[in-house]
Amino acid sequence: LSDAVQEQNLSDKINVTQTGCIGICQYEPVVEVFEGGLENKTTYVKMDPEKAKRVVEEHIKGGKPVSEYMIGNTEL
């Protein structure tokens, strides 16, 4: 994710931080996108480099969350 943010020249607008387990280890790697504060977040699960690029392009840059990668998706 960090590489995808850097490739899109978004490092001055986006903070990428690493944390420990948030209690859903079976879905790792997990990415949380916060918009406008902690109360408005989207949680992406089972991420990989290609999914991260798509999340950066479509969600972070385009404003449209990628629903098939979200934690509530039953097809994961």
Side-chain angles (χ1 to χ4, degrees):
L1 184 66
S2 181
D3 289 345
V5 167
Q6 289 178 17
E7 288 170 8
Q8 295 292 322
N9 298 315
L10 297 171
S11 296
D12 59 332
K13 299 174 185 153
I14 305 295
N15 291 323
V16 177
T17 58
Q18 185 174 349
T19 66
C21 181
I22 61 170
I24 54 173
C25 298
Q26 69 271 24
Y27 295 112
E28 289 184 354
V30 174
V31 170
E32 293 180 318
V33 176
F34 294 91
E35 300 174 88
L38 297 176
E39 67 280 347
N40 188 19
K41 78 174 177 181
T42 303
T43 302
Y44 293 106
V45 295
K46 298 185 178 181
M47 295 298 290
D48 62 30
E50 292 306 311
K51 289 179 180 179
K53 288 178 185 177
R54 186 168 170 205
V55 167
V56 168
E57 188 64 36
E58 294 182 23
H59 186 170
I60 295 173
K61 287 180 72 179
K64 183 179 177 205
V66 185
S67 62
E68 61 261 37
Y69 303 159
M70 294 167 62
I71 194 164
N73 188 334
T74 58
E75 296 178 19
L76 291 172

